[in-house]
């Protein structure tokens, strides 16, 4: 009797959670439809490079750099057999191998009729992230950890020396980075790690079926795993710890009010779309940037 009662309770709970998810997805689609009603987005670069698709289960997702998607990408590549399972146990990333695998599963150099089929009929997923947190994450990773992006630190130090005279400092803090960022360097602002997600994945052109949130990464990644038919063995052991929900207010405290407002204005459109998808997050920019500006 207790067993049957327990099963009944689990079924009701599952139905309730499923109802909440269906309601959320319906709400998101309505919000996006209204937002994109007058859009003329044609899905320009770099969508073809970032859209990863799986023909077997008609699923696709847009790979968002600094949006927690490396775990999704490796899961997909190992599940398809494009990369060995051993990559999931390594501490670092074999980027040449990853880039090679991406080229086999994205839209670049592919028939445009396939691209149209994926956009029209596949289940499409995207992982969103608060753009203010994503900017700090990109700064921390690309300024200090990525050899291929050493030019960022070199450029910032050069800017500091011109500004401060004979400075021998080799340190680059977030204030230094933002001063460089706001100078509008073409190489930085045109890079996929720093471009707003809307300009990467073009939600008014693709119309995604599910919008995940980096702050609920654990839940959302398993939804995509179900679509891919993947189990936990395809996830890197550290993926949960990498998906921190901590906001980065302390970094923005280094900035002047004018700089914080400039960052806000740069990401204002992105924040507006983020709040449409996740209304409970609305206004988080005020506490992160310590400003009162509404959207």
């Amino acid at each position: 009797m207790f067993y049957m009662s327990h099963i009944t309770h689990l079924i009701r709970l599952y139905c309730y959670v499923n109802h909440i998810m269906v309601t959320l997805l319906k709400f998101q689609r309505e919000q996006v439809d209204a937002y994109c009603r007058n859009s003329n987005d044609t899905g320009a670069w770099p969508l073809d490079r970032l859209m990863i698709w799986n023909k077997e289960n008609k699923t696709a997702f847009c790979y968002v750099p600094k949006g927690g998607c490396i775990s999704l990408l490796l899961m997909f590549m190992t599940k398809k057999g494009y990369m060995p399972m051993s990559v999931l146990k390594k501490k670092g990333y074999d980027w040449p191998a990853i880039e090679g695998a991406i080229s086999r599963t994205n839209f670049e150099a592919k028939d445009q009729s396939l691209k149209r089929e994926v956009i029209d009929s596949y289940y499409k997923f995207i992982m969103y992230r608060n753009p203010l947190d994503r900017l700090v994450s990109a700064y921390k990773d690309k300024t200090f950890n990525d050899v291929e992006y050493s030019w960022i630190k070199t450029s910032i130090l050069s800017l500091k020396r011109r500004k401060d005279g004979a400075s021998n400092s080799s340190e680059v803090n977030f204030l230094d980075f933002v001063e460089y960022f706001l100078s509008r360097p073409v190489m930085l602002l045109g890079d996929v790690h720093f471009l707003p997600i809307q300009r990467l994945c073009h939600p008014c052109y693709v119309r995604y079926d599910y919008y995940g949130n980096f702050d609920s990464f654990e839940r959302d990644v398993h939804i995509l795993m179900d679509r891919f038919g993947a189990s936990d063995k395809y996830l890197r052991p550290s993926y949960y710890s990498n998906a921190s929900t901590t906001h980065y207010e302390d970094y923005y405290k280094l900035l002047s009010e004018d700089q914080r407002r400039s960052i806000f204005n740069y990401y204002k459109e992105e924040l507006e779309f983020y709040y449409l998808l996740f209304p409970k997050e609305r206004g988080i920019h005020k506490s992160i940037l310590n400003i009162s500006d509404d959207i």
Side-chain angles (χ1 to χ4, degrees):
M1 190 71 176
F2 172 79
Y3 177 77
M4 291 302 297
S5 176
H6 184 63
I7 293 296
T8 301
H9 174 73
L10 289 177
I11 291 174
R12 287 175 177 172
L13 180 61
Y14 171 81
C15 292
Y16 173 74
V17 172
N18 186 63
H19 171 73
I20 294 296
M21 293 304 299
V22 169
T23 302
L24 173 62
L25 295 179
K26 182 175 182 292
F27 168 81
Q28 288 181 330
R29 282 194 287 267
E30 290 173 349
Q31 294 294 303
V32 173
D33 286 345
Y35 180 88
C36 297
R37 187 165 293 129
N38 298 317
S39 171
N40 59 357
D41 192 346
T42 57
W45 182 93
L47 180 66
D48 283 5
R49 176 170 176 252
L50 300 176
M51 201 71 180
I52 310 297
W53 53 277
N54 184 323
K55 187 174 183 179
E56 283 72 21
N57 52 33
K58 292 189 176 296
T59 304
F61 75 96
C62 187
Y63 168 59
V64 177
K66 307 313 302 175
C69 283
I70 186 61
S71 296
L72 303 178
L73 187 63
L74 291 179
M75 174 193 72
F76 177 81
M77 297 304 178
T78 52
K79 180 71 166 60
K80 289 283 291 181
Y82 295 150
M83 300 186 72
M85 292 289 289
S86 59
V87 302
L88 300 176
K89 299 178 181 179
K90 294 181 179 179
K91 290 185 177 180
Y93 299 113
D94 184 352
W95 282 111
I98 291 174
E99 291 288 347
I102 288 175
S103 68
R104 298 175 63 182
T105 58
N106 64 12
F107 286 147
E108 287 185 318
K110 303 295 192 304
D111 191 304
Q112 288 300 300
S113 63
L114 170 63
K115 177 179 177 180
R116 190 71 262 165
E117 178 187 353
V118 171
I119 290 174
D120 287 345
S121 62
Y122 279 38
Y123 183 90
K124 298 168 292 294
F125 180 101
I126 182 174
M127 186 72 75
Y128 253 80
R129 187 178 188 181
N130 181 326
L132 303 177
D133 291 341
R134 182 169 171 258
L135 178 64
V136 176
S137 179
Y139 149 73
K140 292 170 64 179
D141 183 34
K142 299 306 169 186
T143 305
F144 302 109
N145 301 326
D146 195 327
V147 175
E148 291 188 15
Y149 280 79
S150 60
W151 59 267
I152 295 180
K153 185 174 182 179
T154 301
S155 299
I156 293 173
L157 290 175
S158 177
L159 181 66
K160 285 182 68 175
R161 293 186 183 104
R162 291 198 302 271
K163 177 183 176 183
D164 302 334
S167 172
N168 294 320
S169 173
S170 60
E171 298 298 319
V172 174
N173 61 27
F174 189 58
L175 172 59
D176 300 326
F177 170 80
V178 167
E179 288 181 343
Y180 179 63
F181 183 82
L182 294 178
S183 72
R184 297 294 190 269
V186 174
M187 286 183 67
L188 189 64
L189 294 184
D191 186 88
V192 294
H193 297 87
F194 300 95
L195 279 171
I197 295 175
Q198 284 176 276
R199 292 176 60 188
L200 296 175
C201 298
H202 299 273
C204 286
Y205 175 71
V206 175
R207 302 301 180 93
Y208 295 90
D209 298 286
Y210 192 87
Y211 296 85
N213 190 345
F214 188 80
D215 284 358
S216 57
F217 188 84
E218 180 177 351
R219 179 198 70 189
D220 293 329
V221 75
H222 278 93
I223 290 174
L224 186 56
M225 286 169 64
D226 288 342
R227 299 294 309 194
F228 280 165
S231 63
D232 280 359
K233 74 177 183 179
Y234 290 99
L235 289 172
R236 284 172 64 94
S238 61
Y239 90 98
Y240 286 131
S241 61
N242 290 338
S244 171
T245 59
T246 302
H247 296 301
Y248 291 115
E249 291 97 333
D250 288 346
Y251 284 83
Y252 288 98
K253 288 178 181 177
L254 296 172
L255 311 183
S256 69
E257 182 177 350
D258 286 345
Q259 289 171 325
R260 284 182 272 118
R261 189 157 276 110
S262 294
I263 293 292
F264 167 72
N265 288 331
Y266 180 79
Y267 283 114
K268 187 174 183 178
E269 184 178 355
E270 179 89 338
L271 281 164
E272 180 184 4
F273 193 79
Y274 180 74
Y275 291 153
L276 284 176
L277 296 175
F278 312 106
K280 290 184 178 180
E281 298 291 316
R282 181 169 293 278
I284 192 66
H285 69 278
K286 294 182 180 181
S287 62
I288 295 176
L289 296 175
N290 192 25
I291 59 176
S292 59
D293 302 58
D294 288 313
I295 293 180

